[in-house]
Amino acid sequence: MGAGHAHVLYRESGSPVHRLPPEVKIAAMVLFTVAVVATPREAYWAFGGYALLVAAVAALARVGPRWLLGRALIELPFVLFAFALPFLGTGERVEVAGLGLSVDGLHGAFNILAKGTLGVLASLLLAATTTTRDLILGLDRLRCPQILTQIATFMLRYLEVLVGEARRMRVARVSRGDDPRFLWQLRGFAAGVGALFLRAFERGERVYLAMVSRGYTGRMPAVWQGAGAATAGQWAVGATVPVIAASIAAAALVLQ
């Protein structure tokens, strides 16, 4: 964990957003998402305001639009579903380019696209400015249940080990003439998965016993958490985006 375990989405930078404590960024992202979800789908102007907020944070974090939009393709299945709603929806219909589309379906499609895209972009900005270790540390400082943060910590630490071992087992099988592409060799693949599970279980038991012998009591030591918890000023800076988003959502609800 000492190297920080920077994940594939993390972008190294010294921007003001990167320097904010992780718990501030996590709380800001969650509250921003809640404000977006609470906004009526007919308040089109509000979603434009949210998009400007996301663009401003991205510029401050030095995360380019090309990088953001490329990674946002993860929501493509939901986009395809949204495009089908105007055709599958019921109720009042309007004609667009010779096609009869459901008004309720059009609103539903926009609702999914707008809220889903904004949520994905906010999550990507959090991932781009926070290492995996800091994400877990932030959750721990926000009093997330210890069992969850510890599971995530150990998964982060040993997932790469298990992936490397699975890769070595596959190379060993292929070098002995096994080709997992063929259906009749599925039995060998299943046996390999079982062996990997047993190795992982045994390794986990050894690691747990080693930790207990070194004084582990069910909580991560305070030294792991380190210093640098958010100050009142940092919380005030981090609250800027959710406060503006909440104001937009409140205005949209009032004007509905």
Short mmCIF file of all heavy atoms in Angstrom, two decimals, residues 114-174:
data_model
loop_
_atom_site.label_atom_id
_atom_site.label_comp_id
_atom_site.label_asym_id
_atom_site.label_seq_id
_atom_site.Cartn_x
_atom_site.Cartn_y
_atom_site.Cartn_z
N ALA A 114 -29.21 12.43 -19.18
CA ALA A 114 -28.66 13.59 -18.46
C ALA A 114 -28.12 13.19 -17.09
O ALA A 114 -26.96 13.46 -16.75
CB ALA A 114 -29.73 14.66 -18.33
N LYS A 115 -28.96 12.52 -16.29
CA LYS A 115 -28.54 12.17 -14.93
C LYS A 115 -27.44 11.11 -14.93
O LYS A 115 -26.49 11.19 -14.14
CB LYS A 115 -29.74 11.71 -14.12
CG LYS A 115 -30.77 12.82 -13.90
CD LYS A 115 -31.95 12.35 -13.07
CE LYS A 115 -32.95 13.48 -12.85
NZ LYS A 115 -34.11 13.08 -12.04
N GLY A 116 -27.58 10.13 -15.81
CA GLY A 116 -26.55 9.08 -15.88
C GLY A 116 -25.20 9.64 -16.31
O GLY A 116 -24.16 9.32 -15.73
N THR A 117 -25.20 10.49 -17.33
CA THR A 117 -23.94 11.06 -17.83
C THR A 117 -23.28 11.94 -16.78
O THR A 117 -22.07 11.87 -16.57
CB THR A 117 -24.20 11.86 -19.11
OG1 THR A 117 -24.77 11.01 -20.10
CG2 THR A 117 -22.89 12.45 -19.65
N LEU A 118 -24.07 12.78 -16.12
CA LEU A 118 -23.50 13.65 -15.08
C LEU A 118 -22.93 12.83 -13.92
O LEU A 118 -21.86 13.15 -13.39
CB LEU A 118 -24.57 14.62 -14.58
CG LEU A 118 -24.97 15.73 -15.55
CD1 LEU A 118 -26.23 16.44 -15.07
CD2 LEU A 118 -23.83 16.73 -15.73
N GLY A 119 -23.63 11.76 -13.53
CA GLY A 119 -23.12 10.91 -12.47
C GLY A 119 -21.83 10.21 -12.84
O GLY A 119 -20.89 10.12 -12.04
N VAL A 120 -21.76 9.72 -14.08
CA VAL A 120 -20.54 9.05 -14.56
C VAL A 120 -19.38 10.03 -14.61
O VAL A 120 -18.26 9.72 -14.19
CB VAL A 120 -20.79 8.41 -15.94
CG1 VAL A 120 -19.48 7.97 -16.58
CG2 VAL A 120 -21.73 7.22 -15.81
N LEU A 121 -19.63 11.23 -15.13
CA LEU A 121 -18.56 12.24 -15.23
C LEU A 121 -18.05 12.65 -13.85
O LEU A 121 -16.85 12.81 -13.64
CB LEU A 121 -19.06 13.45 -16.00
CG LEU A 121 -19.36 13.24 -17.49
CD1 LEU A 121 -19.90 14.50 -18.12
CD2 LEU A 121 -18.11 12.77 -18.23
N ALA A 122 -18.97 12.80 -12.89
CA ALA A 122 -18.56 13.15 -11.52
C ALA A 122 -17.71 12.03 -10.92
O ALA A 122 -16.69 12.29 -10.26
CB ALA A 122 -19.78 13.42 -10.66
N SER A 123 -18.10 10.79 -11.15
CA SER A 123 -17.34 9.65 -10.63
C SER A 123 -15.96 9.57 -11.29
O SER A 123 -14.96 9.26 -10.63
CB SER A 123 -18.10 8.35 -10.87
OG SER A 123 -19.36 8.37 -10.24
N LEU A 124 -15.90 9.85 -12.58
CA LEU A 124 -14.61 9.82 -13.28
C LEU A 124 -13.68 10.91 -12.76
O LEU A 124 -12.47 10.69 -12.63
CB LEU A 124 -14.84 10.00 -14.79
CG LEU A 124 -15.40 8.79 -15.53
CD1 LEU A 124 -15.76 9.15 -16.96
CD2 LEU A 124 -14.40 7.63 -15.51
N LEU A 125 -14.24 12.08 -12.47
CA LEU A 125 -13.40 13.15 -11.91
C LEU A 125 -12.85 12.76 -10.55
O LEU A 125 -11.69 13.05 -10.22
CB LEU A 125 -14.21 14.44 -11.81
CG LEU A 125 -14.43 15.20 -13.12
CD1 LEU A 125 -15.35 16.39 -12.91
CD2 LEU A 125 -13.09 15.67 -13.69
N LEU A 126 -13.68 12.10 -9.74
CA LEU A 126 -13.19 11.63 -8.44
C LEU A 126 -12.08 10.61 -8.63
O LEU A 126 -11.04 10.67 -7.96
CB LEU A 126 -14.35 11.00 -7.65
CG LEU A 126 -13.98 10.35 -6.31
CD1 LEU A 126 -13.43 11.39 -5.34
CD2 LEU A 126 -15.18 9.63 -5.70
N ALA A 127 -12.26 9.66 -9.55
CA ALA A 127 -11.24 8.63 -9.79
C ALA A 127 -9.98 9.23 -10.38
O ALA A 127 -8.87 8.76 -10.09
CB ALA A 127 -11.81 7.56 -10.73
N ALA A 128 -10.11 10.25 -11.22
CA ALA A 128 -8.95 10.85 -11.88
C ALA A 128 -8.10 11.67 -10.92
O ALA A 128 -6.92 11.91 -11.20
CB ALA A 128 -9.41 11.72 -13.04
N THR A 129 -8.67 12.09 -9.80
CA THR A 129 -7.94 12.96 -8.88
C THR A 129 -7.63 12.31 -7.54
O THR A 129 -7.07 12.97 -6.67
CB THR A 129 -8.78 14.24 -8.62
OG1 THR A 129 -10.06 13.88 -8.08
CG2 THR A 129 -8.99 15.02 -9.90
N THR A 130 -7.96 11.02 -7.38
CA THR A 130 -7.77 10.35 -6.09
C THR A 130 -7.25 8.94 -6.31
O THR A 130 -7.84 8.18 -7.08
CB THR A 130 -9.11 10.28 -5.31
OG1 THR A 130 -9.78 11.54 -5.38
CG2 THR A 130 -8.86 9.93 -3.86
N THR A 131 -6.16 8.59 -5.67
CA THR A 131 -5.65 7.23 -5.77
C THR A 131 -6.59 6.26 -5.05
O THR A 131 -7.41 6.67 -4.21
CB THR A 131 -4.25 7.12 -5.14
OG1 THR A 131 -4.34 7.40 -3.74
CG2 THR A 131 -3.27 8.09 -5.79
N THR A 132 -6.45 4.98 -5.38
CA THR A 132 -7.31 3.98 -4.75
C THR A 132 -7.11 3.94 -3.24
O THR A 132 -8.07 3.83 -2.47
CB THR A 132 -7.02 2.60 -5.35
OG1 THR A 132 -7.06 2.67 -6.76
CG2 THR A 132 -8.05 1.58 -4.89
N ARG A 133 -5.87 4.04 -2.80
CA ARG A 133 -5.59 4.04 -1.36
C ARG A 133 -6.28 5.22 -0.68
O ARG A 133 -6.87 5.08 0.39
CB ARG A 133 -4.09 4.11 -1.11
CG ARG A 133 -3.73 4.14 0.38
CD ARG A 133 -2.26 4.46 0.59
NE ARG A 133 -1.91 4.43 2.00
CZ ARG A 133 -2.12 5.42 2.86
NH1 ARG A 133 -2.70 6.52 2.46
NH2 ARG A 133 -1.77 5.30 4.12
N ASP A 134 -6.23 6.39 -1.32
CA ASP A 134 -6.86 7.57 -0.73
C ASP A 134 -8.38 7.45 -0.73
O ASP A 134 -9.05 7.98 0.16
CB ASP A 134 -6.43 8.83 -1.49
CG ASP A 134 -5.02 9.26 -1.13
OD1 ASP A 134 -4.50 8.78 -0.11
OD2 ASP A 134 -4.42 10.05 -1.89
N LEU A 135 -8.94 6.78 -1.74
CA LEU A 135 -10.39 6.56 -1.74
C LEU A 135 -10.81 5.75 -0.52
O LEU A 135 -11.79 6.07 0.17
CB LEU A 135 -10.81 5.84 -3.03
CG LEU A 135 -10.86 6.68 -4.30
CD1 LEU A 135 -11.12 5.78 -5.51
CD2 LEU A 135 -11.93 7.75 -4.20
N ILE A 136 -10.06 4.68 -0.25
CA ILE A 136 -10.38 3.85 0.92
C ILE A 136 -10.15 4.63 2.21
O ILE A 136 -10.95 4.55 3.15
CB ILE A 136 -9.52 2.57 0.89
CG1 ILE A 136 -9.86 1.75 -0.36
CG2 ILE A 136 -9.75 1.74 2.15
CD1 ILE A 136 -8.96 0.56 -0.57
N LEU A 137 -9.07 5.42 2.24
CA LEU A 137 -8.79 6.23 3.42
C LEU A 137 -9.91 7.26 3.65
O LEU A 137 -10.34 7.49 4.78
CB LEU A 137 -7.46 6.95 3.23
CG LEU A 137 -7.01 7.90 4.34
CD1 LEU A 137 -6.91 7.17 5.67
CD2 LEU A 137 -5.68 8.54 3.97
N GLY A 138 -10.40 7.85 2.56
CA GLY A 138 -11.49 8.81 2.69
C GLY A 138 -12.76 8.18 3.22
O GLY A 138 -13.46 8.76 4.06
N LEU A 139 -13.06 6.97 2.73
CA LEU A 139 -14.24 6.26 3.23
C LEU A 139 -14.10 5.94 4.72
O LEU A 139 -15.06 6.02 5.49
CB LEU A 139 -14.45 4.97 2.43
CG LEU A 139 -14.89 5.14 0.98
CD1 LEU A 139 -14.88 3.80 0.25
CD2 LEU A 139 -16.28 5.76 0.91
N ASP A 140 -12.88 5.60 5.12
CA ASP A 140 -12.64 5.29 6.53
C ASP A 140 -12.83 6.54 7.39
O ASP A 140 -13.41 6.48 8.48
CB ASP A 140 -11.22 4.74 6.70
CG ASP A 140 -11.00 4.12 8.07
OD1 ASP A 140 -11.68 3.14 8.39
OD2 ASP A 140 -10.14 4.63 8.81
N ARG A 141 -12.35 7.69 6.91
CA ARG A 141 -12.52 8.94 7.66
C ARG A 141 -13.97 9.39 7.70
O ARG A 141 -14.38 10.09 8.63
CB ARG A 141 -11.66 10.03 7.02
CG ARG A 141 -10.16 9.86 7.24
CD ARG A 141 -9.39 10.90 6.48
NE ARG A 141 -7.95 10.81 6.72
CZ ARG A 141 -7.04 11.50 6.05
NH1 ARG A 141 -7.41 12.34 5.10
NH2 ARG A 141 -5.76 11.36 6.33
N LEU A 142 -14.76 8.97 6.72
CA LEU A 142 -16.19 9.30 6.72
C LEU A 142 -17.00 8.30 7.53
O LEU A 142 -18.23 8.28 7.44
CB LEU A 142 -16.70 9.35 5.28
CG LEU A 142 -16.20 10.52 4.43
CD1 LEU A 142 -16.61 10.35 2.96
CD2 LEU A 142 -16.71 11.85 4.97
N ARG A 143 -16.32 7.46 8.28
CA ARG A 143 -16.94 6.48 9.18
C ARG A 143 -17.71 5.40 8.41
O ARG A 143 -18.73 4.89 8.88
CB ARG A 143 -17.89 7.16 10.18
CG ARG A 143 -17.21 8.19 11.08
CD ARG A 143 -16.18 7.52 11.98
NE ARG A 143 -15.63 8.46 12.96
CZ ARG A 143 -14.52 9.19 12.77
NH1 ARG A 143 -13.86 9.09 11.61
NH2 ARG A 143 -14.08 10.01 13.70
N CYS A 144 -17.19 5.06 7.24
CA CYS A 144 -17.76 3.91 6.53
C CYS A 144 -17.48 2.66 7.37
O CYS A 144 -16.44 2.58 8.03
CB CYS A 144 -17.09 3.79 5.15
SG CYS A 144 -17.75 2.48 4.11
N PRO A 145 -18.38 1.67 7.39
CA PRO A 145 -18.16 0.47 8.21
C PRO A 145 -16.78 -0.13 7.99
O PRO A 145 -16.35 -0.32 6.85
CB PRO A 145 -19.27 -0.48 7.75
CG PRO A 145 -20.36 0.43 7.31
CD PRO A 145 -19.69 1.62 6.70
N GLN A 146 -16.07 -0.43 9.08
CA GLN A 146 -14.71 -0.93 9.01
C GLN A 146 -14.59 -2.20 8.18
O GLN A 146 -13.61 -2.38 7.46
CB GLN A 146 -14.19 -1.20 10.43
CG GLN A 146 -13.67 0.03 11.13
CD GLN A 146 -12.29 0.42 10.64
OE1 GLN A 146 -11.43 -0.42 10.45
NE2 GLN A 146 -12.09 1.71 10.44
N ILE A 147 -15.59 -3.06 8.25
CA ILE A 147 -15.51 -4.32 7.52
C ILE A 147 -15.43 -4.08 6.02
O ILE A 147 -14.71 -4.76 5.29
CB ILE A 147 -16.71 -5.23 7.87
CG1 ILE A 147 -16.54 -6.61 7.24
CG2 ILE A 147 -18.02 -4.59 7.47
CD1 ILE A 147 -15.40 -7.40 7.76
N LEU A 148 -16.14 -3.04 5.54
CA LEU A 148 -16.12 -2.73 4.11
C LEU A 148 -14.77 -2.16 3.68
O LEU A 148 -14.22 -2.54 2.65
CB LEU A 148 -17.25 -1.75 3.77
CG LEU A 148 -18.67 -2.26 3.98
CD1 LEU A 148 -19.68 -1.19 3.59
CD2 LEU A 148 -18.92 -3.53 3.17
N THR A 149 -14.25 -1.21 4.46
CA THR A 149 -12.98 -0.61 4.08
C THR A 149 -11.83 -1.62 4.17
O THR A 149 -10.91 -1.58 3.34
CB THR A 149 -12.67 0.60 4.98
OG1 THR A 149 -12.68 0.19 6.35
CG2 THR A 149 -13.71 1.70 4.79
N GLN A 150 -11.89 -2.53 5.12
CA GLN A 150 -10.83 -3.52 5.23
C GLN A 150 -10.89 -4.54 4.10
O GLN A 150 -9.86 -4.94 3.56
CB GLN A 150 -10.91 -4.21 6.59
CG GLN A 150 -10.54 -3.29 7.74
CD GLN A 150 -10.53 -4.00 9.07
OE1 GLN A 150 -10.02 -5.11 9.18
NE2 GLN A 150 -11.08 -3.37 10.08
N ILE A 151 -12.10 -4.95 3.73
CA ILE A 151 -12.23 -5.86 2.59
C ILE A 151 -11.68 -5.21 1.33
O ILE A 151 -10.94 -5.83 0.54
CB ILE A 151 -13.70 -6.27 2.39
CG1 ILE A 151 -14.14 -7.22 3.51
CG2 ILE A 151 -13.91 -6.94 1.04
CD1 ILE A 151 -15.62 -7.56 3.48
N ALA A 152 -12.03 -3.93 1.13
CA ALA A 152 -11.54 -3.22 -0.04
C ALA A 152 -10.01 -3.08 0.00
O ALA A 152 -9.34 -3.20 -1.03
CB ALA A 152 -12.18 -1.83 -0.12
N THR A 153 -9.46 -2.85 1.19
CA THR A 153 -8.01 -2.72 1.33
C THR A 153 -7.30 -4.00 0.95
O THR A 153 -6.33 -4.00 0.18
CB THR A 153 -7.65 -2.33 2.78
OG1 THR A 153 -8.29 -1.10 3.10
CG2 THR A 153 -6.15 -2.17 2.94
N PHE A 154 -7.77 -5.13 1.49
CA PHE A 154 -7.12 -6.40 1.20
C PHE A 154 -7.33 -6.82 -0.26
O PHE A 154 -6.44 -7.41 -0.88
CB PHE A 154 -7.65 -7.49 2.14
CG PHE A 154 -7.29 -7.23 3.58
CD1 PHE A 154 -8.23 -7.40 4.59
CD2 PHE A 154 -6.02 -6.83 3.92
CE1 PHE A 154 -7.89 -7.16 5.91
CE2 PHE A 154 -5.67 -6.58 5.24
CZ PHE A 154 -6.62 -6.75 6.24
N MET A 155 -8.52 -6.52 -0.79
CA MET A 155 -8.76 -6.83 -2.20
C MET A 155 -7.79 -6.06 -3.09
O MET A 155 -7.20 -6.61 -4.03
CB MET A 155 -10.20 -6.48 -2.58
CG MET A 155 -10.54 -6.79 -4.03
SD MET A 155 -12.21 -6.26 -4.47
CE MET A 155 -11.98 -4.47 -4.48
N LEU A 156 -7.60 -4.79 -2.77
CA LEU A 156 -6.66 -3.96 -3.52
C LEU A 156 -5.25 -4.51 -3.43
O LEU A 156 -4.52 -4.55 -4.43
CB LEU A 156 -6.71 -2.53 -2.98
CG LEU A 156 -5.61 -1.57 -3.45
CD1 LEU A 156 -5.76 -1.30 -4.93
CD2 LEU A 156 -5.67 -0.28 -2.66
N ARG A 157 -4.88 -4.94 -2.24
CA ARG A 157 -3.50 -5.40 -2.03
C ARG A 157 -3.22 -6.71 -2.73
O ARG A 157 -2.13 -6.91 -3.29
CB ARG A 157 -3.26 -5.56 -0.52
CG ARG A 157 -1.88 -6.09 -0.16
CD ARG A 157 -0.80 -5.14 -0.61
NE ARG A 157 0.53 -5.66 -0.34
CZ ARG A 157 1.20 -6.46 -1.16
NH1 ARG A 157 0.66 -6.85 -2.31
NH2 ARG A 157 2.41 -6.87 -0.84
N TYR A 158 -4.19 -7.64 -2.77
CA TYR A 158 -3.90 -8.98 -3.25
C TYR A 158 -4.56 -9.32 -4.59
O TYR A 158 -4.31 -10.41 -5.13
CB TYR A 158 -4.32 -10.02 -2.20
CG TYR A 158 -3.43 -9.97 -0.98
CD1 TYR A 158 -3.86 -9.35 0.18
CD2 TYR A 158 -2.15 -10.49 -1.02
CE1 TYR A 158 -3.03 -9.27 1.29
CE2 TYR A 158 -1.31 -10.41 0.08
CZ TYR A 158 -1.76 -9.80 1.24
OH TYR A 158 -0.93 -9.72 2.32
N LEU A 159 -5.36 -8.41 -5.14
CA LEU A 159 -5.98 -8.70 -6.43
C LEU A 159 -4.91 -8.87 -7.52
O LEU A 159 -4.99 -9.79 -8.34
CB LEU A 159 -6.95 -7.58 -6.81
CG LEU A 159 -7.73 -7.80 -8.12
CD1 LEU A 159 -8.58 -9.07 -8.01
CD2 LEU A 159 -8.60 -6.59 -8.42
N GLU A 160 -3.90 -7.99 -7.50
CA GLU A 160 -2.84 -8.09 -8.50
C GLU A 160 -2.06 -9.40 -8.34
O GLU A 160 -1.63 -10.00 -9.32
CB GLU A 160 -1.90 -6.89 -8.36
CG GLU A 160 -2.56 -5.56 -8.68
CD GLU A 160 -1.64 -4.39 -8.45
OE1 GLU A 160 -0.44 -4.64 -8.17
OE2 GLU A 160 -2.08 -3.24 -8.54
N VAL A 161 -1.89 -9.84 -7.10
CA VAL A 161 -1.20 -11.11 -6.85
C VAL A 161 -1.97 -12.28 -7.46
O VAL A 161 -1.41 -13.15 -8.12
CB VAL A 161 -0.99 -11.32 -5.34
CG1 VAL A 161 -0.35 -12.68 -5.06
CG2 VAL A 161 -0.15 -10.20 -4.76
N LEU A 162 -3.30 -12.28 -7.24
CA LEU A 162 -4.13 -13.37 -7.77
C LEU A 162 -4.18 -13.34 -9.30
O LEU A 162 -4.14 -14.39 -9.95
CB LEU A 162 -5.54 -13.28 -7.19
CG LEU A 162 -5.67 -13.55 -5.70
CD1 LEU A 162 -7.11 -13.37 -5.25
CD2 LEU A 162 -5.20 -14.97 -5.37
N VAL A 163 -4.27 -12.14 -9.86
CA VAL A 163 -4.28 -12.04 -11.33
C VAL A 163 -2.97 -12.56 -11.91
O VAL A 163 -2.96 -13.29 -12.91
CB VAL A 163 -4.53 -10.58 -11.76
CG1 VAL A 163 -4.30 -10.41 -13.26
CG2 VAL A 163 -5.95 -10.15 -11.41
N GLY A 164 -1.85 -12.21 -11.28
CA GLY A 164 -0.56 -12.70 -11.74
C GLY A 164 -0.44 -14.21 -11.63
O GLY A 164 0.08 -14.87 -12.54
N GLU A 165 -0.97 -14.76 -10.55
CA GLU A 165 -0.92 -16.22 -10.38
C GLU A 165 -1.82 -16.92 -11.40
O GLU A 165 -1.44 -17.96 -11.96
CB GLU A 165 -1.35 -16.58 -8.97
CG GLU A 165 -1.09 -18.03 -8.61
CD GLU A 165 -0.97 -18.24 -7.12
OE1 GLU A 165 -0.92 -17.25 -6.37
OE2 GLU A 165 -0.92 -19.41 -6.71
N ALA A 166 -3.00 -16.36 -11.67
CA ALA A 166 -3.87 -16.93 -12.70
C ALA A 166 -3.21 -16.90 -14.07
O ALA A 166 -3.33 -17.85 -14.86
CB ALA A 166 -5.20 -16.17 -12.73
N ARG A 167 -2.48 -15.82 -14.34
CA ARG A 167 -1.79 -15.71 -15.63
C ARG A 167 -0.69 -16.76 -15.74
O ARG A 167 -0.52 -17.40 -16.79
CB ARG A 167 -1.21 -14.31 -15.78
CG ARG A 167 -0.63 -14.02 -17.15
CD ARG A 167 -0.09 -12.61 -17.25
NE ARG A 167 -1.14 -11.63 -17.09
CZ ARG A 167 -1.24 -10.80 -16.06
NH1 ARG A 167 -0.34 -10.86 -15.08
NH2 ARG A 167 -2.23 -9.93 -15.98
N ARG A 168 0.05 -16.98 -14.66
CA ARG A 168 1.12 -18.00 -14.69
C ARG A 168 0.52 -19.40 -14.84
O ARG A 168 1.09 -20.25 -15.56
CB ARG A 168 1.95 -17.91 -13.41
CG ARG A 168 2.82 -16.66 -13.32
CD ARG A 168 3.80 -16.77 -12.17
NE ARG A 168 3.13 -16.80 -10.88
CZ ARG A 168 2.79 -15.72 -10.19
NH1 ARG A 168 3.07 -14.51 -10.67
NH2 ARG A 168 2.20 -15.82 -9.01
N MET A 169 -0.61 -19.67 -14.20
CA MET A 169 -1.24 -20.97 -14.34
C MET A 169 -1.71 -21.20 -15.77
O MET A 169 -1.58 -22.31 -16.31
CB MET A 169 -2.43 -21.08 -13.38
CG MET A 169 -2.02 -21.15 -11.91
SD MET A 169 -3.44 -21.08 -10.78
CE MET A 169 -4.27 -22.60 -11.23
N ARG A 170 -2.22 -20.15 -16.41
CA ARG A 170 -2.67 -20.29 -17.79
C ARG A 170 -1.49 -20.56 -18.73
O ARG A 170 -1.57 -21.41 -19.62
CB ARG A 170 -3.40 -19.03 -18.23
CG ARG A 170 -3.97 -19.12 -19.64
CD ARG A 170 -4.62 -17.83 -20.08
NE ARG A 170 -5.22 -17.96 -21.40
CZ ARG A 170 -4.53 -17.91 -22.53
NH1 ARG A 170 -3.21 -17.73 -22.50
NH2 ARG A 170 -5.13 -18.06 -23.70
N VAL A 171 -0.37 -19.85 -18.50
CA VAL A 171 0.81 -20.07 -19.33
C VAL A 171 1.31 -21.51 -19.16
O VAL A 171 1.70 -22.17 -20.14
CB VAL A 171 1.92 -19.06 -18.96
CG1 VAL A 171 3.24 -19.43 -19.63
CG2 VAL A 171 1.51 -17.65 -19.36
N ALA A 172 1.28 -22.01 -17.92
CA ALA A 172 1.72 -23.39 -17.67
C ALA A 172 0.82 -24.38 -18.40
O ALA A 172 1.30 -25.38 -18.97
CB ALA A 172 1.72 -23.66 -16.17
N ARG A 173 -0.48 -24.16 -18.42
CA ARG A 173 -1.41 -25.06 -19.11
C ARG A 173 -1.18 -25.04 -20.61
O ARG A 173 -1.12 -26.08 -21.26
CB ARG A 173 -2.85 -24.66 -18.79
CG ARG A 173 -3.30 -24.99 -17.38
CD ARG A 173 -4.64 -24.37 -17.08
NE ARG A 173 -5.61 -24.65 -18.12
CZ ARG A 173 -6.64 -23.87 -18.43
NH1 ARG A 173 -6.81 -22.73 -17.79
NH2 ARG A 173 -7.49 -24.23 -19.37
N VAL A 174 -1.05 -23.83 -21.16
CA VAL A 174 -0.86 -23.71 -22.62
C VAL A 174 0.46 -24.35 -23.04
O VAL A 174 0.55 -25.00 -24.09
CB VAL A 174 -0.93 -22.23 -23.03
CG1 VAL A 174 -0.54 -22.07 -24.51
CG2 VAL A 174 -2.32 -21.67 -22.80
#
